Amino acid sequence: MLQSLLQNTLEQLVITYGVYTAWCLLMPVAWLSAVPLCSILFAVGRILFFKGYRQGAPARAFGFALTFYSTVLLFIVLVVYQVVVGIY
C-alpha cells in the first residue's frame, strides 16, 4: 500500500513541479503568490489522500481532487494568460 501511495505522490509531484516552474518563469511577479497557496492545497490534499486510501476510492477522492485540480487550474490560467498576452 505504501508503494502505491508513494508512486501516486511521485506522479502528482512531477506534474506539479512542471506547472509551478512554468508559472514562476512566465507569470508576472504579482501573480507568484498563487504558488504557495497551491502548494498548501497540494500538501493538504496529499494528507487527505493518504488518510482515505484504505477506505477506497470515494474516501480518497477529495484529497486527490485537491492535489490535482489546484495544479490544473494553475495550468489553465497560465495557458490562457500566455495566449492573451501573446495576442496583444
Side-chain angles (χ1 to χ4, degrees):
M1 183 177 75
L2 184 57
Q3 175 72 26
S4 296
L5 289 169
L6 292 175
Q7 182 65 37
N8 185 274
T9 300
L10 179 61
E11 292 165 1
Q12 292 300 315
L13 197 58
V14 169
I15 296 167
T16 301
Y17 182 76
V19 171
Y20 288 11
T21 301
W23 184 274
C24 290
L25 294 173
L26 299 173
M27 295 300 283
V29 174
W31 292 46
L32 293 181
S33 61
V35 173
L37 175 64
C38 287
S39 297
I40 291 169
L41 291 174
F42 182 91
V44 170
R46 287 287 91 188
I47 291 167
L48 294 174
F49 182 82
F50 277 35
K51 288 181 80 170
Y53 196 83
R54 287 184 191 263
Q55 287 81 30
R60 65 181 180 245
F62 182 71
F64 177 81
L66 205 57
T67 300
F68 183 70
Y69 290 118
S70 61
T71 304
V72 169
L73 180 63
L74 274 186
F75 182 71
I76 291 170
V77 171
L78 174 67
V79 169
V80 169
Y81 182 84
Q82 294 304 311
V83 168
V84 169
V85 168
I87 292 173
Y88 297 107

